[in-house]
Amino acid sequence: MSDTTAAPDMLSWTCPAPLRDRPRVVMGHGGGGVMSAELVEQVFLPAFGQVAPGGLTDSAAVELGGARLAFSTDSFVVRPLFFPGGSIGDLAVNGTVNDLAMSGARAAYLSCGMILEEGVELATVGRVAEALGAAARTAGVRVVTGDTKVVEAGHGDGVYINTSGIGLIPPGVDLRPQRVVPGDVVVVSGAIGLHGVAILSERENLRFEVAIESDCAALGGLVEAMLAVTPDLHVLRDPTRGGLAASLNEIAAASGAGVVVQERAVPVPPPVASACAVLGLDPMYVANEGKLVAFVPRDQADAVLAAMRAHPLGAGAAIIGEAVADHPGMVVARTGLGGTRVVDMPLGEQLPRIC
Amino acid sequence: MKYIDEFQDPELAARLLDEIRATVTRPWALMEVCGGQTHSIIRHGLDQLLPDEIELIHGPGCPVCVTPLEVIDKALEIASRPDVIFCSFGDMLRVPGTGRDLFQVRGEGGDVRVVYSPLDALRIAEENPGREVVFFGIGFETTAPPNAMAVHQARARGIRNFSLLVSHVRVPPAIEAIMQSPQCRVQGFLAAGHVCSVMGTEEYPALAERFKVPIVVTGFEPLDILEGVRRTVRQLERGEHTVGNAYPRAVRPEGNPAARAMLDDVFEVTDRAWRGIGVILDSGWRLSERYRDHDAEHRFQVGDIATLEPAECRAGEVLQGLLKPHECEAFGTTCTPRTPLGATMVSSEGACAAYYLYRRLELPARAETTAPSLKESSVV
């Protein structure tokens, strides 16, 4: 080490100018966070004009011919196509079925739009289709219409799928973040972070001591079991892109309530915690594909929790926090050691840290 | 994997905090050197739990934050070339250069890939002999050895289309620079455990003696940090200034001899600019003459890219404890993680970003909310 280091004047330390607007789409626009929401709010909604109120939710509640329908669409561009615990075929069914379930609806019919890349093996397409069909049967939903397009080699990742779905919303069910009131109990249906870590470890060929499988599952049955206890659930969300943090922030922002989460009550399985620690990710922001988070009236919380735990997809359900009158629109975690921290809306995509 | 819960145990933490409270008799200012420690302190609320007498000053040890703007600009220039596959750790993709970042280069058609190891980049070079593969080699003593290994292997295996854009920095010269500043308030250091796991502790006794400061090698989990604080405060209260090791499960005095040998083989010490700080003599590494043909800066002739950094941000004051992040007028208004004015807001390990992400509850309501406004939904 040099002994001739000039003493720096720390007051003169300077910083760079900021990066402001992006002229092009970047991956963060699809990350389910702030950038995704802004893209919809600033580009799509003004252009589309007349959209249903609540047009930023994953599933719209609409009335048609006297029936109350939930209507949802989702596109699936996952890589790899097959991963521990599922495949793009499973996701294509469960993703849309779960969006409908978050409106309280049991999915009835799906459409399936396949976008295939020139050169992909038909056997692969067949396996995807088989998985999709099996997932639909498990979820109790029928694929009734579809479309196929082929793009030139190099213009897709083998198979992209879009599914849309409709289902009936039962009478008396009104699931909206605006119904959340201070005192509501926050319940999550089980272990978080499994899907995101499973995909990442498969995609990047990261091998952990314990194999982590996606939690990909259809939640319609679990939601029915919860609604059977009380149709007065206030809001449900499936914390997919952006994870639990994004869902809680969306609900807090839309309801005007604050949310407090007890960090140690959040069910993070040890393999997920370890993988996230290695990669510098926060499990609260990691995607799930078979979990829901519910805001439940306090006097119904124990009964709803018991009903969830009696269902195979809710066996690991846990109360993780509550809605509060303080810090409106903000999610705050009480840390395991007794401190507090803000749990922010993710900006774009979580990025693995350097060290 | 074990050893996460064990080092976040509330009862043990309470015991350590009691011991720290019983030891402290007056105010002390400690600097945690590493951004990972800053992140852990703020994320777990350790600063809220420590006695008021202990002030934690957040050091410059965030590899993303301190990479100079001109190096980012060189990366953007190289990554924009059609014959290049540019590989980087994930968190460098969002760091702004002049007007763009690597995400944007990718959006414009550049082949920018996130990898988890420089050896992944080497494999990509092997699989793409017709293209140039460049790995963005930034960071401290922790990330330098694998990068050195990648270059060493490229040479040994004759993989000529692999090169490294190097901006490695070293901790001890930064500590020296901080202690030499006339405004310095730091009275004790929590040294970066992972850096010492590579380099050992041999470089620190001279610093501790010269500047009369205790330096305690500290890990990253909450209990590690509390133990580091406890030992540092105990030394300060006794008027001692030695080098301690509160991270013995990862750090030996000699460090990792194989990694150090690899560093000595591939790199040589050089002056380095630190973003937000300026040039610190002998504070970094570059590829040694023998490996110069694997140096992306030479290969792509970007050595003359020089970027002036406008003085719009007060990170320097933050880094020496003269200013808390939220006391800066730009904090949460013109300067957010999305639009960082400066180094300390760039990465989640920067002090300003950690305050913004985790501490807005206790801060003045200047910080903009980032949650999207969801409209009232109803049945139509």
Side-chain angles (χ1 to χ4, degrees):
Chain A
M1 197 189 307
S2 164
D3 282 337
T4 58
T5 307
D9 174 8
M10 290 167 110
L11 291 178
S12 71
W13 291 3
T14 60
C15 279
L19 177 63
R20 294 285 177 196
D21 300 311
R22 297 168 183 276
R24 294 173 188 269
V25 170
V26 295
M27 292 304 289
H29 285 118
V34 175
M35 293 172 74
S36 298
E38 285 181 356
L39 181 69
V40 172
E41 280 189 332
Q42 295 170 13
V43 178
F44 296 149
L45 292 185
F48 295 169
Q50 187 63 38
V51 295
L56 287 183
T57 58
D58 290 338
S59 169
V62 294
E63 280 190 7
L64 195 64
R68 213 157 152 257
L69 295 174
F71 177 42
S72 179
T73 189
D74 207 339
S75 299
F76 302 89
V77 294
V78 67
R79 187 168 45 85
L81 298 176
F82 301 90
F83 47 83
S87 72
I88 192 171
D90 300 292
L91 284 178
V93 170
N94 295 338
T96 295
V97 163
N98 292 347
D99 284 344
L100 296 172
M102 297 309 108
S103 296
R106 189 71 189 245
Y109 301 110
L110 287 186
S111 69
C112 173
M114 290 273 186
I115 299 170
L116 310 177
E117 185 185 9
E118 178 187 34
V120 71
E121 292 186 3
L122 279 174
T124 302
V125 177
R127 283 176 65 204
V128 168
E130 288 290 336
L132 194 149
R137 286 188 289 278
T138 302
V141 64
R142 290 170 59 198
V143 179
V144 291
T145 183
D147 175 61
T148 305
K149 294 285 188 295
V150 177
V151 295
E152 290 172 10
H155 289 256
D157 273 327
V159 179
Y160 294 150
I161 304 176
N162 171 275
T163 55
S164 298
I166 53 171
L168 285 172
I169 300 173
V173 172
D174 182 17
L175 296 166
R176 289 180 292 122
Q178 291 77 14
R179 296 196 60 219
V180 168
V181 292
D184 279 2
V185 172
V186 183
V187 186
V188 70
S189 65
I192 66 163
L194 291 162
H195 177 75
V197 171
I199 291 287
L200 192 63
S201 55
E202 189 69 15
R203 183 182 297 167
E204 306 300 342
N205 208 16
L206 304 170
R207 290 280 168 261
F208 297 108
E209 211 169 288
V210 181
I212 298 169
E213 290 203 342
S214 169
D215 56 349
C216 187
L219 295 166
L222 176 63
V223 171
E224 273 185 357
M226 294 165 70
L227 290 171
V229 173
T230 173
D232 194 35
L233 302 176
H234 286 170
V235 67
L236 300 176
R237 278 281 189 279
D238 60 334
T240 52
R241 288 175 313 167
L244 191 58
S247 291
L248 293 175
N249 271 282
E250 283 174 13
I251 292 167
S255 68
V259 176
V260 173
V261 174
Q262 301 297 333
E263 205 172 35
R264 285 185 87 82
V266 177
V268 181
V272 169
S274 302
C276 286
V278 167
L279 295 168
L281 303 176
D282 184 337
M284 292 275 280
Y285 292 88
V286 176
N288 310 275
E289 285 294 345
K291 296 295 180 301
L292 62 80
V293 59
F295 280 61
V296 182
R298 182 168 293 276
D299 59 350
Q300 304 282 351
D302 289 342
V304 170
L305 186 68
M308 291 171 79
R309 287 180 173 168
H311 191 281
L313 293 177
I319 291 173
I320 60 167
E322 61 181 341
V324 296
D326 296 338
H327 48 81
M330 195 180 269
V331 181
V332 170
R334 299 259 185 266
T335 72
L337 303 183
T340 59
R341 66 182 173 97
V342 172
V343 179
D344 212 350
M345 187 74 176
L347 180 59
E349 289 191 294
Q350 264 205 116
L351 298 167
R353 283 210 310 268
I354 282 174
C355 67
Chain B
M1 188 169 89
K2 288 179 66 181
Y3 311 124
I4 293 183
D5 285 354
E6 290 85 341
F7 291 95
Q8 298 185 5
D9 184 297
E11 278 181 37
L12 289 173
R15 221 177 299 166
L16 277 169
L17 284 161
D18 285 344
E19 232 177 297
I20 291 166
R21 282 189 206 102
T23 307
V24 168
T25 63
R26 55 189 162 133
W28 298 111
L30 317 184
M31 175 175 276
E32 84 278 1
V33 169
C34 177
Q37 292 166 332
T38 303
H39 189 262
S40 189
I41 286 163
I42 305 297
R43 188 181 186 283
H44 294 283
L46 298 182
D47 53 331
Q48 300 163 327
L49 303 172
L50 285 165
D52 292 343
E53 291 89 343
I54 295 175
E55 180 189 0
L56 292 173
I57 295 173
H58 312 305
C62 161
V64 174
C65 300
V66 301
T67 301
L69 186 56
E70 69 179 40
V71 175
I72 311 286
D73 283 348
K74 288 171 185 176
L76 296 170
E77 165 70 22
I78 293 169
S80 300
R81 301 188 182 199
D83 58 329
V84 166
I85 300 172
F86 194 88
C87 299
S88 171
F89 291 127
D91 49 1
M92 284 308 293
L93 269 65
R94 201 158 37 208
V95 183
T98 305
R100 289 193 305 171
D101 60 18
L102 285 165
F103 269 126
Q104 214 154 314
V105 169
R106 195 160 79 174
E108 290 162 6
D111 193 344
V112 178
R113 303 185 190 182
V114 173
V115 295
Y116 293 85
S117 155
L119 298 176
D120 291 344
L122 192 62
R123 181 179 44 77
I124 291 169
E126 223 170 358
E127 292 166 356
N128 294 272
R131 300 182 68 189
E132 287 288 337
V133 175
V134 181
F135 181 72
F136 202 176
I138 73 141
F140 288 85
E141 292 95 326
T142 38
T143 54
N147 294 347
M149 170 67 85
V151 172
H152 181 83
Q153 284 199 13
R155 166 66 55 83
R157 288 153 56 188
I159 304 171
R160 297 188 176 184
N161 61 326
F162 176 82
S163 59
L164 208 60
L165 179 61
V166 185
S167 183
H168 280 303
V169 281
R170 302 168 55 231
V171 166
I175 289 181
E176 190 178 9
I178 287 163
M179 290 309 298
Q180 285 180 310
S181 169
Q183 302 94 5
C184 177
R185 298 171 48 238
V186 180
Q187 295 164 294
F189 282 96
L190 309 182
H194 290 164
V195 167
C196 296
S197 69
V198 174
M199 302 303 290
T201 55
E202 294 159 7
E203 294 175 285
Y204 294 95
L207 288 169
E209 182 55 40
R210 179 176 164 195
F211 297 109
K212 305 287 184 277
V213 284
I215 300 176
V216 176
V217 177
T218 302
F220 299 82
E221 294 298 333
L223 293 190
D224 290 324
I225 290 167
L226 291 175
E227 175 63 4
V229 169
R230 188 185 70 87
R231 292 193 190 201
T232 310
V233 168
R234 193 174 57 184
Q235 281 202 47
L236 286 166
E237 291 282 346
R238 292 175 178 174
E240 297 170 355
H241 48 267
T242 62
V243 176
N245 183 1
Y247 198 36
R249 71 180 186 278
V251 175
R252 295 190 302 264
E254 70 278 15
N256 179 337
R260 291 175 66 179
M262 186 58 68
L263 289 171
D264 290 340
D265 176 43
V266 175
F267 290 130
E268 60 189 26
V269 170
T270 184
D271 301 344
R272 275 273 173 226
W274 294 52
R275 190 173 201 172
I277 298 176
V279 174
I280 301 177
L281 299 182
D282 293 339
S283 68
W285 281 301
R286 67 180 172 204
L287 285 166
S288 62
E289 192 62 48
R290 291 191 308 119
Y291 291 94
R292 198 55 51 85
D293 55 340
H294 287 283
D295 187 339
E297 207 167 318
H298 286 265
R299 186 173 293 197
F300 296 95
Q301 312 252 299
V302 291
D304 57 351
I305 290 180
T307 310
L308 283 176
E309 305 206 20
E312 292 185 63
C313 153
R314 302 173 69 186
E317 293 161 86
V318 171
L319 288 170
Q320 58 184 313
L322 295 174
L323 189 77
K324 290 292 180 203
H326 62 280
E327 292 167 346
C328 170
E329 52 276 8
F331 178 85
T333 52
T334 55
C335 183
T336 69
R338 184 163 187 186
T339 55
L341 269 177
T344 47
M345 189 64 97
V346 165
S347 142
S348 65
E349 295 191 3
C352 297
Y355 271 64
Y356 182 88
L357 290 171
Y358 297 141
R359 281 298 144 79
R360 296 206 309 287
L361 185 61
E362 301 128 87
L363 304 178
R366 265 184 308 119
E368 63 182 32
T369 178
T370 56
S373 54
L374 299 181
K375 297 176 178 65
E376 176 81 19
S377 76
S378 63
V379 174
V380 283

